[in-house]
Amino acid sequence: MANSNRPTTDIRHVYRGTFVHSTQQAPLQILEDALLGVDTEGKIAFIGKGAELDRLSKTFGFSPPDITQLEQHEFFMPGMVDTHIHASQYSYAGTALDMPLLQWLNTYTFPVESRFKDLGFAHRVYTQVVKRTLRNGTTTACYFATIHTDASLLLGQIANDFGQRALVGKVCMDRNNSVKHYKETNQESQEETCRFIAELLGKKYPLVKPVVTPRFAPSCTGVLLGQLGEIAKNNNLHIQSHISENAEEVKLVNELFPESESYTDVYHKYNLLTDKTVMAHGCYLSDEELALFRETGASLSHCPNSNISLCSGVLDVRNVLKHKVKLGLGTDVAGGYSASMLDAVRRALDSSKVLTIQDPEHETLSFEEVFRLATLGGSQALSLDDQTGNFEVGKDFDALRVNVAAPGGPIDLIQCDGPKILLEKFLNLGDDRNIVEVFVAGRKVVPFTE
């Protein structure tokens, strides 16, 4: 197992204990009595067996007293990746789930998002959502903000201040007949998107980057979609939006873009499907559309809580994986009522089982597969898997220290269980009380330091 490079930087931390992660070959790999070293740049310098302590300590220049030893019921897992979350909707999370998507947007979402021109309100909401997601183990988040450039820049600053890895998107929409004061002109959207990108990149935050964000095809004209595709290409940026979430929405897109063969074709036509694109939902994508996702390298974000809560649909994850489309999980707050990626894991398993109930031939997802979607799969979906997603030498140490037997926590351990059972219990029963430490790029970000 010894994976190690000759040291180019000094070792800052060495941990010993159980590590669980996913690889391209295996949805779950368990490393017991492992040694992992983190260098001064926050990158994984080596992974080896406890039995290799003497050799590793000589090679990397640390001494055994420097090692942090995990307890019996503890393990490290990679930080979780939320590939789709609306930071601006956090204030009403857990409410307002009584309507289908398009009516829900008009009644609840657009009026609340229009308030983010008030930077005081934006600061309160964005601070809370970044802290909440970090406490729940989200080390990387792909955020929708609002149409307001300054508030979107503020979200980037807050994520940076708390040490979260984030893609932040200023929402673009030049079509909205329901809440007329919450939209932009085409020119405003283009100019403000360019200003947002330039100013956020100018901050030189190490872990926070802009993402080009057309809200979704129904709220954007073809002209704007084309301009955003060009902006993303010229700046080599990520792209995020929504696709085929709800049957009524798919019908509307067909009416608004009659010249396109499908919802996917709309985005493809405007150069918005790239290997740095993540599209949320995809419940109603055809096999031909999934093939186009595969061909372009675009990815999907599976948001099962939202899909169920708004009665939108159920994504057949197995079919997406069969088409070799990159796939991660998203909370989709506030269409999804929980900002915890553990909830996304559970709802993903539930949704897969519903499909099996409907069709006994359907191959239900395993908890190991969904664990991979929440970690490595998410980093692949965001094209960040060269930096994070699992414990490989050279990647950033984005990790959760989990104590399944945390005092006052939600899990009762009756017998002496092995690490696979402990992980399964945590995924099904655990919460933020079990996440005792959170690291992003080697920096401990939870517990918070005031």
Side-chain angles (χ1 to χ4, degrees):
M1 178 178 69
N3 293 313
S4 60
N5 295 329
R6 301 299 296 181
T8 54
T9 59
D10 293 335
I11 299 300
R12 177 179 288 165
H13 299 293
V14 179
Y15 302 98
R16 185 172 185 172
T18 298
F19 292 78
V20 299
H21 72 156
S22 300
T23 67
Q24 195 61 45
Q25 295 73 35
L28 176 61
Q29 184 179 58
I30 298 171
L31 310 175
E32 293 190 75
D33 190 28
L35 283 163
L36 184 145
V38 182
D39 68 22
T40 51
E41 295 181 354
K43 297 188 180 298
I44 299 170
F46 66 82
I47 308 169
K49 296 177 180 176
E52 300 172 292
L53 173 59
D54 287 347
R55 180 183 66 79
L56 290 169
S57 63
K58 288 186 179 73
T59 302
F60 290 92
F62 65 92
S63 58
D66 298 333
I67 297 172
T68 300
Q69 177 71 51
L70 269 61
E71 300 295 331
Q72 180 184 0
H73 300 301
E74 290 187 321
F75 59 83
F76 269 115
M77 62 172 278
M80 290 184 281
V81 181
D82 190 341
T83 57
H84 184 72
I85 175 170
H86 293 262
S88 52
Q89 297 174 14
Y90 184 66
S91 65
Y92 65 96
T95 68
L97 297 171
D98 57 335
M99 293 179 176
L101 173 67
L102 299 182
Q103 294 90 318
W104 177 83
L105 287 169
N106 295 336
T107 305
Y108 302 113
T109 300
F110 295 150
V112 169
E113 288 191 12
S114 69
R115 296 182 60 189
F116 280 76
K117 60 181 178 289
D118 176 350
L119 290 181
F121 178 72
H123 190 274
R124 287 199 305 277
V125 175
Y126 288 157
T127 298
Q128 291 295 338
V129 70
V130 170
K131 290 178 73 173
R132 177 66 64 185
T133 53
L134 275 173
R135 276 201 303 268
N136 280 284
T138 299
T139 53
T140 300
C142 192
Y143 286 120
F144 270 64
T146 62
I147 66 173
H148 310 97
T149 302
D150 292 331
S152 303
L153 289 167
L154 181 59
L155 174 57
Q157 177 196 317
I158 290 167
N160 175 72
D161 289 349
F162 282 102
Q164 189 173 51
R165 190 185 303 273
L167 293 168
V168 176
K170 185 208 88 67
V171 171
C172 300
M173 49 191 292
D174 64 347
R175 182 157 48 187
N176 183 4
N177 294 326
S178 57
V179 182
K180 289 185 170 56
H181 62 280
Y182 187 56
K183 69 176 178 180
E184 312 157 289
T185 66
N186 176 272
Q187 185 173 354
E188 284 171 341
S189 189
Q190 186 178 10
E191 290 176 355
E192 287 300 295
T193 296
C194 290
R195 178 167 82 88
F196 170 73
I197 291 166
E199 291 196 21
L200 188 57
L201 290 175
K203 301 288 186 183
K204 298 195 184 311
Y205 297 141
L207 301 176
V208 179
K209 298 290 183 281
V211 48
V212 173
T213 307
R215 179 174 214 111
F216 67 158
S219 63
C220 298
T221 60
V223 173
L224 178 57
L225 291 174
Q227 290 167 341
L228 295 176
E230 196 68 22
I231 289 170
K233 181 181 178 182
N234 292 341
N235 293 277
N236 190 27
L237 291 179
H238 284 80
I239 298 164
Q240 65 175 348
S241 193
H242 303 82
I243 194 166
S244 294
E245 177 178 357
N246 160 292
E248 184 184 2
E249 167 214 12
V250 175
K251 182 170 177 286
L252 177 60
V253 170
N254 290 337
E255 293 168 359
L256 292 172
F257 298 90
E259 72 285 358
S260 294
E261 294 176 15
S262 65
Y263 202 155
T264 301
D265 186 51
V266 173
Y267 291 128
H268 187 49
K269 176 181 177 182
Y270 294 111
N271 301 310
L272 290 165
L273 285 189
T274 75
D275 61 359
K276 296 177 79 170
T277 295
V278 57
M279 290 283 174
H281 305 295
C283 297
Y284 299 95
L285 294 176
S286 66
D287 286 351
E288 290 76 20
E289 288 176 282
L290 287 172
L292 192 51
F293 266 76
R294 169 65 179 171
E295 180 186 317
T296 57
S299 62
L300 282 172
S301 172
H302 177 34
C303 305
N305 186 317
S306 172
N307 293 340
I308 296 166
S309 293
L310 298 180
C311 296
S312 293
V314 181
L315 177 67
D316 186 344
V317 169
R318 185 65 69 196
N319 191 45
V320 174
L321 297 177
K322 186 179 77 176
H323 281 83
K324 294 183 168 52
V325 173
K326 295 183 294 184
L327 181 69
L329 297 183
T331 60
D332 195 23
V333 166
Y337 53 75
S338 172
S340 171
M341 281 293 293
L342 288 172
D343 174 85
V345 166
R346 293 162 194 170
R347 301 290 84 78
L349 288 164
D350 289 347
S351 296
S352 182
K353 290 171 183 174
V354 166
L355 292 176
T356 302
I357 291 169
Q358 295 173 338
D359 175 12
E361 298 295 311
H362 178 263
E363 185 185 353
T364 312
L365 295 173
S366 67
F367 86 84
E368 295 95 335
E369 289 177 300
V370 177
F371 170 74
R372 178 159 61 185
L373 293 180
T375 54
L376 182 60
S379 69
Q380 291 169 335
L382 299 182
S383 298
L384 296 173
D385 50 308
D386 59 332
Q387 302 169 51
T388 186
N390 60 2
F391 298 129
E392 290 184 357
V393 170
K395 290 191 178 184
D396 288 357
F397 186 62
D398 288 11
L400 314 181
R401 182 173 177 172
V402 176
N403 182 358
V404 183
I411 302 173
D412 295 315
L413 294 179
I414 309 302
Q415 61 262 340
C416 186
D417 293 313
K420 183 176 178 180
I421 297 294
L422 293 180
L423 173 63
E424 186 176 15
K425 281 183 172 287
F426 169 66
L427 294 178
N428 283 320
L429 300 172
D431 62 25
D432 59 325
R433 288 169 290 182
N434 299 107
I435 302 171
V436 293
E437 291 176 330
V438 178
F439 298 84
V440 182
R443 172 189 168 195
K444 187 191 294 186
V445 296
V446 176
F448 300 116
T449 53
E450 296 302 330

